[in-house]
Amino acid sequence: MQLSEQELIRREKLVTLREMGINPYPADLYPVDHTSKQVKEQFEEGKKVVIAGRLMSMRVQGKASFAQIQDSEGKIQVYFNRDEICPGDDKTLYNEVFKKLLDFGDFIGIEGELFTTQVGEKTVKVKNFTLLSKSLKPLPLPKEKDGVIYDAFTDPEQRYRQRYADLVVNPNVKKVFIKRTKLYNAMRQFFNDAGYFEVETPVLQPIPGGAAARPFVTHHNSLDIPLYMRIANELYLKRLIVGGFDGVYEFSKNFRNEGMDRTHNPEFTAMEIYVSYKDYNWMMHFCEELLEHCAIAVNGTTEATFGEHKIDFKAPYARVTMTDSIKHFTGFDITGKSEDEIRKAAQEMGIAVDDTMGKGKLIDEIFGEKCEANYIQPTFITDYPKEMSPLCKEHRDNPELTERFELMVCGKEIANAYSELNDPIDQRERFEHQMELAQKGDDEATEMIDYDFLRALEYGMPPTSGMGIGMDRLIMFLTNNQSIQEVLFFPQMKPEKKAVAMTDDEKAVLSLLKSNAPIALNTLKEQSGLSNKKWDATIKGLTKNKLAKVDKTDAGLFVDII
C-alpha cells in the first residue's frame, strides 16, 4: 500500500503517542453528557460539560488556542489554555500532544466549562482532553481563503465510494439521510395508525415473481436449488391477505439485474401495502393523504422543489385515464385498437418498436415517450389496458381495461396500485399469456408461473387493493436530488481503480483538469505555475499512469482526463 506523505507523518505521530504511554485507541467508556446542540440550547455560563467529537479546525496562538469539535449534532468551539490544561510544571499535554500530535479528524473527548467569548460565541473552556481515536488518513476538508472555498469534496464518484468521508465534510449530505429516516417513520406511523401490520417476506425466492425484471440468481447448496433475489414482494404479501390479515405492508429491499442510471440502482427500496375489502379508488385517496402527511413530516410543508419545478403534495391530485392521456398528447385513441394498429401508430409517432412487443408493451411505449414527461404536479394515471397489468383486476365497466393507477410526479412514476386480481382462473390465464409473450421475446414479461400463489388464490382472497411506492425516488423529490445515488448511503459502484501514487504537482494539475477539461496544453501549463522541468515531469507522470491524455486537434494540443 502506497502511503502519502501526510499518512506517513500521522503514523509517526501514532508511534510517538504510544511511546509516551498514550493509547490512541482506548477501550474505556467516555462519559459524554452533552452534544454540541445541547451545549448551545442549554447554555449556562460556567456550566461543566463533557463532550466528544472530531477535531475539525485549530488556531494555535502560543499558550492559548481555539479549535472546533464536530459531533453528530454539529460543531462547537473549544478553547485550549496551556495553564488550564497543565497547571503544574509539566506542559507536555499541551505543548506536545495538543500542538504537535493531534490532527484534523482525530476524535477527542473534552471536559470543560462553558463561557462566552468577547465576540459572543458560545465556547467550551477545556479543563482536560483525551485522545479517543487517532485518524491516520486526512479528511478531504475544503480550504477557504478570502471567502472563497477551494478543494471542496464534490467529485461524485469519490463521494459515493467514500460516503463516510462525505458525511463528515459535507453537512448537507447528512441532512438528506435524516430526511429519509423521517420519511420512513412518517409512513410507518400513518400505516400503524390505520391498524395495518408491518411484516417481512423472503428475500431469497424460488421464483422471481410480482414484477417483470431480470433477477440476480444464486444457489442454495444444502437444498441444491437455484434461488432468486427478490424483484418484488407482492405475491407473498397477498398470501398474507389470503391468510386473514386485513392490511399488511413491508419496506422491502428489491434487486433487479438490469441497467443503472440516475434513477435506477440494482438494489433499491420499495414499500408495498395491501388492504382487504378496498379498491383502487379508495387507494387513490389513501395515497394522496399518505404523501401529504409524509411531505409535511419531512419538510414541514406540502411543497417541495425538484430542479426547476415546485411540487405540491397537498391532496387531492388530478386523475387522468391512460386512454385520455394518450389521446390528448398524440391525438390517437387506443380504444378497441388491435396490436397491429397500435404498432403502426407508434411507428408513425417515431417510436422505436419491434415484433416482440405485445399490445400492452406498445401502449406503454407510447405513453412513456409522448405523455409521461408532461405530468409535473402529482397526477394519477388510471385505467390501464389489461395487457399491461397481469396482476390487476379487470375494470368493472370496461373489460379491455384494469383498475390500476400510477402516480406521476415530474414525469416519473412514484406509486403503482391495483384493485388486485383475486380470480384464480383469470390469474392463471394471465400468467400463461405472459409466458407466451416471454417466449415471443418480450424481456419484460413474466417468465415463470408461481403455482403456489395460484393455489393460495384458490383458497380465496377477499377484494383487495395494493400499492407500491419507490422510496428512493420519493425521497429524491422531497430533497431536490436529481440522482438516486445521492439518496443511497452506499450506491452500487464499479470496482475501484487501483490507486496511483501522485506527486503534489500531479495532484494539483489533475485538480485543474477536473474542473476545466479539456483544456489547451499551454493554458494548463500557465495555470499550474510550474517550471518547464517540473511541468514536463508532471504531464509525463499523468499520461504514463493513464490519468490524463494529450490530444492533437486543429486548434492545437489539448489535455483531457481519461
Side-chain angles (χ1 to χ4, degrees):
M1 180 175 63
Q2 186 81 25
L3 298 177
S4 69
E5 182 180 356
Q6 287 194 52
E7 289 173 309
L8 291 171
I9 291 172
R10 290 184 179 224
R11 279 164 171 73
E12 290 171 3
K13 292 181 180 181
L14 188 73
V15 172
T16 302
L17 286 164
R18 285 183 166 138
E19 288 173 348
M20 295 173 67
I22 298 173
N23 183 355
Y25 305 104
D28 317 55
L29 172 150
Y30 193 77
V32 174
D33 59 22
H34 281 72
T35 65
S36 59
K37 183 179 180 181
Q38 290 170 333
V39 166
K40 295 170 184 176
E41 291 180 347
Q42 303 166 18
F43 186 85
E44 296 175 23
E45 288 283 343
K47 181 180 180 181
K48 289 180 168 40
V49 298
V50 181
I51 63 172
R54 284 187 187 272
L55 183 63
M56 297 298 284
S57 69
M58 294 169 62
R59 300 195 311 275
V60 178
Q61 301 167 342
K63 296 180 182 180
S65 304
F66 284 95
Q68 268 196 332
I69 299 298
Q70 178 173 299
D71 62 13
S72 63
E73 299 286 354
K75 294 179 180 178
I76 188 73
Q77 180 170 272
V78 294
Y79 170 70
F80 290 82
N81 183 287
R82 186 187 68 181
D83 295 330
E84 287 277 358
I85 296 169
C86 310
D89 294 334
D90 185 358
K91 308 297 184 183
T92 302
L93 187 61
Y94 180 84
N95 289 341
E96 298 297 323
V97 178
F98 171 70
K99 289 176 66 175
K100 298 179 181 179
L101 299 178
L102 292 188
D103 291 294
F104 296 162
D106 289 353
F107 280 90
I108 59 173
I110 289 173
E111 301 170 48
E113 61 183 44
L114 306 183
F115 79 104
T116 307
T117 66
Q118 291 181 349
V119 296
E121 185 162 359
K122 296 171 181 176
T123 305
V124 180
K125 182 189 293 183
V126 181
K127 297 295 184 180
N128 188 32
F129 75 90
T130 305
L131 177 61
L132 301 177
S133 180
K134 182 68 182 164
S135 170
L136 298 184
K137 186 178 285 293
L139 287 168
L141 289 168
K143 301 174 182 64
E144 184 175 349
K145 184 178 181 181
D146 300 328
V148 179
I149 301 294
Y150 298 91
D151 298 330
F153 191 54
T154 57
D155 180 76
E157 181 169 343
Q158 291 185 46
R159 289 181 48 244
Y160 304 153
R161 202 178 294 283
Q162 300 182 46
R163 183 67 85 187
Y164 35 84
D166 188 29
L167 290 165
V168 174
V169 303
N170 291 322
N172 287 333
V173 172
K174 188 174 183 179
K175 292 177 184 177
V176 169
F177 291 99
I178 290 172
K179 286 187 174 184
R180 183 176 178 123
T181 295
K182 286 182 178 180
L183 172 61
Y184 280 70
N185 290 343
M187 204 170 273
R188 279 193 172 96
Q189 177 193 8
F190 195 88
F191 295 152
N192 293 342
D193 288 349
Y196 306 138
F197 288 91
E198 184 171 9
V199 297
E200 293 181 335
T201 61
V203 173
L204 290 174
Q205 301 179 352
I207 291 175
R214 182 184 299 165
F216 288 93
V217 186
T218 186
H219 186 84
H220 192 291
N221 291 334
S222 180
L223 295 176
D224 193 24
I225 58 171
L227 288 174
Y228 302 87
M229 299 289 284
R230 172 170 60 196
I231 60 172
N233 56 349
E234 175 172 347
L235 302 186
Y236 283 90
L237 291 175
K238 288 197 279 194
R239 284 170 168 90
L240 298 180
I241 297 295
V242 170
F245 284 93
D246 281 342
V248 291
Y249 71 93
E250 181 178 19
F251 294 96
S252 68
K253 281 287 189 183
N254 296 341
F255 307 85
R256 297 184 181 180
N257 196 359
E258 298 174 338
M260 293 172 58
D261 56 34
R262 291 171 66 84
T263 59
H264 295 88
N265 194 67
E267 175 183 353
F268 64 97
T269 304
M271 184 290 304
E272 293 206 21
I273 183 167
Y274 293 82
V275 185
S276 58
Y277 309 112
K278 309 297 184 188
D279 66 4
Y280 80 136
N281 292 309
W282 176 90
M283 189 61 84
M284 268 186 270
H285 175 74
F286 185 78
C287 175
E288 60 194 4
E289 293 293 327
L290 167 68
L291 293 185
E292 178 179 325
H293 167 79
C294 288
I296 293 171
V298 172
N299 289 325
T301 174
T302 59
E303 293 186 345
T305 298
F306 188 71
E308 61 185 17
H309 303 297
K310 182 151 301 231
I311 314 162
D312 195 347
F313 285 97
K314 184 171 180 58
Y317 305 157
R319 290 152 167 76
V320 181
T321 69
M322 175 163 278
T323 299
D324 287 345
S325 177
I326 292 175
K327 188 188 298 183
H328 176 73
F329 289 109
T330 71
F332 179 67
D333 188 353
I334 61 174
T335 306
K337 297 296 191 297
S338 68
E339 180 179 313
D340 288 340
E341 288 173 315
I342 296 172
R343 180 177 285 105
K344 181 181 178 182
Q347 290 169 336
E348 290 173 351
M349 296 175 200
I351 299 171
V353 297
D354 58 55
D355 292 341
T356 68
M357 295 180 179
K359 188 174 179 180
K361 176 68 172 172
L362 291 166
I363 294 171
D364 192 27
E365 288 294 312
I366 293 172
F367 178 77
E369 288 285 333
K370 300 297 182 180
C371 310
E372 199 171 66
N374 296 291
Y375 296 105
I376 305 302
Q377 295 304 319
T379 304
F380 292 116
I381 305 299
T382 68
D383 301 348
Y384 283 55
K386 185 184 291 186
E387 293 84 357
M388 295 178 66
S389 312
L391 296 168
C392 188
K393 183 171 284 189
E394 182 179 285
H395 198 283
R396 67 196 75 180
D397 298 323
N398 186 341
E400 289 190 357
L401 304 177
T402 56
E403 297 197 347
R404 173 185 178 185
F405 73 77
E406 286 186 320
L407 178 63
M408 310 301 298
V409 178
C410 288
K412 299 291 183 183
E413 170 223 333
I414 60 170
N416 185 22
Y418 305 157
S419 293
E420 299 295 335
L421 180 57
N422 61 344
D423 179 341
I425 295 174
D426 188 1
Q427 181 65 86
R428 183 182 293 270
E429 290 172 353
R430 303 263 199 104
F431 277 158
E432 289 170 349
H433 178 63
Q434 285 286 300
M435 287 280 286
E436 291 173 5
L437 290 175
Q439 291 166 3
K440 187 179 175 181
D442 187 343
D443 58 3
E444 292 191 11
T446 303
E447 296 184 23
M448 300 182 186
I449 296 178
D450 189 338
Y451 290 103
D452 180 71
F453 173 67
L454 291 174
R455 178 169 58 190
L457 283 186
E458 288 174 352
Y459 280 104
M461 186 176 85
T464 297
S465 184
M467 176 174 66
I469 292 178
M471 298 300 291
D472 307 313
R473 191 170 289 178
L474 178 56
I475 197 62
M476 286 170 63
F477 289 124
L478 291 174
T479 59
N480 193 17
N481 277 297
Q482 308 288 319
S483 170
I484 192 172
Q485 286 82 8
E486 293 288 352
V487 300
L488 301 174
F489 269 131
F490 305 106
Q492 198 67 41
M493 304 286 290
K494 291 180 180 179
E496 190 170 6
K497 292 180 180 178
K498 187 177 180 180
V500 176
M502 290 189 289
T503 66
D504 289 341
D505 289 339
E506 289 169 352
K507 291 177 183 176
V509 171
L510 192 62
S511 179
L512 289 171
L513 274 172
K514 284 182 178 178
S515 57
N516 295 295
I519 183 171
L521 185 140
N522 288 335
T523 303
L524 182 60
K525 179 181 177 181
E526 183 179 334
Q527 291 180 358
S528 73
L530 298 174
S531 66
N532 289 336
K533 185 175 180 181
K534 284 190 173 183
W535 166 256
D536 290 341
T538 298
I539 198 69
K540 186 181 291 184
L542 291 174
T543 54
K544 179 182 177 182
N545 289 313
K546 296 183 179 180
L547 297 170
K549 62 180 180 177
V550 179
D551 293 323
K552 187 176 182 180
T553 70
D554 293 339
L557 296 175
F558 281 79
V559 187
D560 202 352
I561 291 178
I562 296 179

